């Protein structure tokens, strides 16, 4: 409805004002700011390259580089290996402090001054910067840009509807801004990860299981870790507390995976797209939440499809997953 139509209806007294106001309400912008930044990519590429399980042997043992480039890269890689080889990167204070230090850094800016504990790693980043910029960064940036383009196409078509539905079923709203840094690989076999303070997601553009429509699900899956899943955790713990129990099985995370996947699947199906949610496609439930599969289908799915109240669905789900 354009402005001339609205003015005509008002003049004729032919339209309810509430309906007109609703038509004129601008759509809420989606919170995702997708980016591809040099320093953030270098940080995660070094983290990925030293992992024994990584398939990127070409990053670990570069071929065709100059002798100086190779030496600088291997020295930086050794510094990262020495610092993080025995650590869980997603929970390592130094790794995450570096991520935060790089968060606002432009591609051509020098590294900022860092605390003493981070100095050896800052030196490694500086040493690796020149060979990375020449040898790997152009291809990494191109992969990031391609992923972002595909994701933006899907967000423009389904993003607003998916956000509204997830906010309705999980209830806390998404933040106004979530920085999403695309990197080739994250250094962690689990893939993408998110920190809520400030809302920031690291998204690996080269992972095969994050391509196509899966990009839509994974963006919102990660976004829900910025606080949208807080009420879910609290309500599950509240149902367990009278029995002296805690959610040690992380049922909340199984519910979150299931919710985002199911809502994405239903939304895409309306457009005739056949989409299998990430957790089902990758066997996520079988690796730790097999106990929750049948209860989720029996109790939580009816709520997601509008056939059961939330409180009743959650109570049934918790009772089935934590039987007496």
């Amino acid at each position: 409805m354009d402005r001339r139509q609205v003015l005509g209806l008002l003049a004729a007294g032919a339209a309810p004002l509430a309906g007109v106001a609703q038509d004129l309400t601008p759509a809420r912008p989606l919170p995702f700011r997708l980016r591809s930044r040099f320093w953030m990519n270098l940080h995660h590429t070094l983290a990925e390259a030293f992992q024994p399980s990584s398939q990127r042997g070409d990053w670990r043992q570069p071929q065709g580089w100059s002798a100086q480039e190779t030496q600088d890269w291997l020295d930086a890689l050794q510094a990262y290996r020495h610092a993080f080889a025995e650590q869980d990167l997603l929970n390592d204070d130094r790794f995450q402090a570096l991520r935060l230090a790089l968060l606002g850094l432009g591609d051509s800016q020098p590294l900022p001054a860092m605390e003493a504990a981070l100095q050896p790693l800052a030196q490694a980043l500086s040493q690796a910067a020149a060979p990375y910029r020449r040898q790997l960064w152009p291809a990494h940036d191109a992969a990031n840009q391609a992923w972002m383009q595909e994701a933006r196409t899907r967000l423009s078509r389904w993003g607003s509807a998916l956000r509204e539905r997830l906010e309705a079923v999980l209830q806390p709203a998404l933040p106004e801004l979530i920085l999403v840094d695309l990197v080739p690989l994250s250094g962690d076999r689990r893939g993408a990860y998110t920190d809520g303070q400030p809302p920031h997601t690291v998204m690996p553009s080269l992972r095969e299981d994050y391509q196509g429509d899966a990009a839509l699900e994974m963006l919102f899956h990660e976004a829900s870790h910025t606080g949208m899943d807080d009420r879910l955790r609290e309500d599950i713990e509240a149902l367990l507390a009278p029995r002296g129990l805690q959610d040690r099985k992380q049922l909340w995370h199984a519910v979150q995976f299931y919710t985002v996947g199911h809502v994405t699947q239903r939304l895409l199906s309306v457009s005739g797209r056949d989409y299998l949610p990430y957790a089902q496609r990758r066997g996520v439930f079988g690796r730790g939440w097999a106990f929750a599969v049948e209860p989720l289908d029996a109790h939580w799915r009816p709520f997601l499809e509008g056939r059961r109240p939330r409180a009743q669905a959650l109570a049934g789900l918790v009772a089935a997953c934590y039987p007496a």
Side-chain angles (χ1 to χ4, degrees):
M1 183 178 293
D2 64 25
R3 183 173 180 273
R4 287 173 298 176
Q5 289 176 301
V6 172
L7 291 174
L9 288 169
L10 290 173
L17 290 180
V20 172
Q22 184 176 11
D23 283 345
L24 291 176
T25 302
R28 292 164 58 202
L30 291 170
F32 306 109
R33 183 181 295 173
L34 306 180
R35 326 185 301 174
S36 177
R37 294 288 184 93
F38 172 82
W39 290 106
M40 193 67 71
N41 274 259
L42 174 56
H43 178 45
H44 287 87
T45 296
L46 287 170
E48 176 69 27
F50 78 76
Q51 304 292 339
S53 60
S54 176
Q55 298 180 0
R56 300 313 307 242
D58 54 327
W59 300 354
R60 196 160 45 245
Q61 294 291 336
Q63 302 294 321
W65 297 18
S66 72
Q68 188 62 57
E69 287 174 334
T70 300
Q71 190 60 56
D72 287 344
W73 182 256
L74 293 179
D75 287 347
L77 204 56
Q78 179 57 28
Y80 263 63
R81 183 183 292 110
H82 178 74
F84 301 124
E86 304 300 323
Q87 308 302 318
D88 177 355
L89 295 182
L90 304 195
N91 294 300
D92 185 87
D93 290 343
R94 291 169 303 164
F95 188 82
Q96 296 305 328
L98 277 169
R99 176 185 59 81
L100 289 171
L102 303 175
L103 196 58
L105 201 62
D107 291 357
S108 60
Q109 291 180 280
L111 289 174
M114 296 191 189
E115 59 186 274
L118 300 181
Q119 282 298 332
L121 298 164
Q123 182 179 349
L125 284 167
S126 295
Q127 191 170 10
Y132 181 70
R133 194 181 296 275
R134 284 192 294 270
Q135 300 291 351
L136 295 176
W137 169 237
H140 290 179
D141 186 44
N144 295 340
Q145 298 293 341
W147 195 97
M148 288 191 290
Q149 182 58 45
E150 290 289 320
R152 287 180 177 126
T153 298
R154 287 164 172 80
L155 286 170
S156 67
R157 184 170 180 183
W158 295 292
S160 293
L162 185 52
R163 193 250 314 264
E164 290 174 7
R165 181 58 182 152
L166 288 172
E167 288 181 342
V169 298
L170 293 175
Q171 297 192 0
L174 288 175
E176 294 300 313
L177 175 64
I178 303 173
L179 294 178
V180 181
D181 274 300
L182 272 295
V183 300
L185 293 167
S186 67
D188 188 275
R189 61 177 178 77
R190 291 164 289 190
Y193 68 92
T194 294
D195 184 30
Q197 298 297 328
H200 179 227
T201 291
V202 173
M203 182 70 66
S205 65
L206 292 183
R207 274 187 66 128
E208 292 182 4
D209 50 348
Y210 283 31
Q211 308 302 316
D213 290 341
L216 189 66
E217 179 186 352
M218 297 316 295
L219 277 170
F220 279 94
H221 174 93
E222 291 301 322
S224 67
H225 284 314
T226 61
M228 184 184 269
D229 52 19
D230 286 351
R231 185 187 172 195
L232 184 61
R233 300 189 200 206
E234 293 165 1
D235 288 350
I236 290 173
E237 293 288 359
L239 287 166
L240 291 170
R243 297 162 56 195
L245 300 176
Q246 293 180 317
D247 186 20
R248 300 193 185 280
K249 300 177 183 178
Q250 289 201 325
L251 174 61
W252 72 267
H253 203 177
V255 178
Q256 184 242 12
F257 248 116
Y258 188 93
T259 299
V260 181
H262 183 76
V263 172
T264 303
Q265 181 184 48
R266 292 194 75 199
L267 181 64
L268 291 174
S269 70
V270 174
S271 300
R273 300 174 81 87
D274 186 16
Y275 178 70
L276 187 64
Y278 182 88
Q280 294 169 248
R281 181 162 35 91
R282 298 292 295 176
V284 172
F285 290 112
R287 294 198 295 268
W289 296 314
F291 70 93
V293 173
E294 291 185 8
L296 283 164
D297 283 336
H299 298 282
W300 193 244
R301 181 171 180 166
F303 161 64
L304 295 179
E305 296 178 354
R307 298 183 282 111
R308 186 172 299 173
R310 182 183 186 277
Q312 180 185 347
L314 195 59
L317 175 63
V318 171
C321 292
Y322 286 93

